[in-house]
Amino acid sequence: MTELHDLVARALAEDLGSGDVTAEAVVPADVDSTARIVQKAPGVISGFAAAAEAFQQAGAKRFESLVGEGEWSDEIPRDIAIVSGSARAILAGERTALNFLAHLSGVATLTAQFVEAARPGRARVLDTRKTTPGLRSLEKAAVAAGGADNHRMGLYDAILIKENHSALAGGVAEAVRRSREAQPGMPVEIEVRDTEEVQAALAAGADRLLLDNMNIGGLRSAVAARDAAASDGGARAELEASGGVSLTTTPEIASTGVDFISVGALTHSAPALDLSLLFDETS
């Protein structure tokens, strides 16, 4: 995968520069070794592909994952991967590999926590475009490993009319109409902020409404309005809650009857999972 190769190459170059002066001073060039990557906090692992690529580019001979991605584990510490080869090569790739693996596992872990918090209702958890520049595909894969769904990948693969789009188009209804005309084969989602905009979006035939920063009462009212419109013969629009979402608020949001809960924190605020690399053998 060229994208992953190039991303890891840039990360390694950032860390290695002209070379690992410490390892070159301390570790003989002919020493081979095996090291374990150890998970030290409960959570979900994601990012083995990036870690393996980092060690391969650094010159290690073998990388083997010992657990499946997407599996939650409370049994810690546990070994999750083994890497072997030149000790210098392992050290050269260690930080880059762990940076990817710890960050992506942190995303997957936080995602799994939100998915569990949403279980009182039927709502599915979604990610957003609030990703680390250059890491979107990896972070969205980590979200999927954590059990949530990916929203659009970018501006090119789905229509999502935000507040600014509606203002520039002349209102909710006109924005929906223009979207239908421009991309008749694409579902249309539109951000709405109050009861008036909910009704306008439903009347315009939007496929999904993004309920922006609505309180619980507002979410319940939107669900009722959607259900009433559907019972009158209209299409059943999907509802997505967004804004003010935390692990604490998610259960109540999910109980309102919305279909989706989008959470930017999955990718922009996930803490890294605690991982370490430990050497075992030298030869």
Side-chain angles (χ1 to χ4, degrees), residues 51-103:
E53 181 69 25
F55 283 119
Q56 179 182 345
Q57 289 191 30
K61 293 179 181 176
R62 175 172 158 267
F63 179 90
E64 179 185 358
S65 58
L66 302 177
V67 303
E69 297 205 25
E71 298 177 2
W72 182 283
S73 180
D74 292 310
E75 299 177 5
I76 53 165
R78 67 165 179 165
D79 294 349
I80 62 170
I82 294 174
V83 59
S84 59
S86 160
R88 282 189 180 182
I90 295 172
L91 289 170
E94 174 187 3
R95 179 42 49 201
T96 297
L98 289 184
N99 281 350
F100 279 117
L101 197 56
H103 171 60

Side-chain angles (χ1 to χ4, degrees), residues 7-84:
L7 175 64
V8 171
R10 289 193 298 272
L12 278 171
E14 177 182 63
D15 198 35
L16 284 171
S18 60
D20 181 354
V21 293
T22 306
E24 290 170 6
V26 175
V27 180
D30 60 351
V31 171
D32 286 339
S33 188
T34 298
R36 298 173 289 118
I37 298 178
V38 182
Q39 177 182 349
K40 300 191 294 182
V44 176
I45 299 300
S46 182
F48 280 135
E53 181 69 25
F55 283 119
Q56 179 182 345
Q57 289 191 30
K61 293 179 181 176
R62 175 172 158 267
F63 179 90
E64 179 185 358
S65 58
L66 302 177
V67 303
E69 297 205 25
E71 298 177 2
W72 182 283
S73 180
D74 292 310
E75 299 177 5
I76 53 165
R78 67 165 179 165
D79 294 349
I80 62 170
I82 294 174
V83 59
S84 59

Side-chain angles (χ1 to χ4, degrees), residues 1 6 60-62 108 123 150 158 162 170 211 214 229 253 258 282:
M1 180 177 169
D6 293 347
K61 293 179 181 176
R62 175 172 158 267
N150 295 143
K162 303 297 286 291
L211 310 175
M214 289 190 181
I253 293 172
V258 297
T282 59

Side-chain angles (χ1 to χ4, degrees), residues 121-211:
R122 66 186 179 199
R124 295 286 299 171
V125 176
L126 300 175
D127 57 19
T128 71
R129 288 167 46 239
K130 296 176 181 178
T131 54
T132 307
L135 297 186
R136 181 167 295 175
S137 61
L138 293 178
E139 290 180 343
K140 282 183 172 281
V143 166
D149 295 338
N150 295 143
H151 210 302
R152 57 180 178 163
M153 183 61 70
L155 295 174
Y156 55 89
D157 62 341
I159 292 176
L160 174 47
I161 304 165
K162 303 297 286 291
E163 175 185 357
N164 286 334
H165 296 111
S166 292
L168 292 168
V172 166
E174 179 62 12
V176 172
R177 187 195 67 77
R178 291 186 186 184
S179 296
R180 288 266 189 245
E181 184 177 279
Q183 296 288 347
M186 276 191 176
V188 174
E189 178 175 7
I190 186 164
E191 179 182 69
V192 293
R193 298 164 294 174
D194 53 36
T195 301
E196 182 179 350
E197 290 188 345
V198 167
Q199 293 291 353
L202 291 172
D207 298 288
R208 184 185 297 182
L209 277 58
L210 177 64
L211 310 175

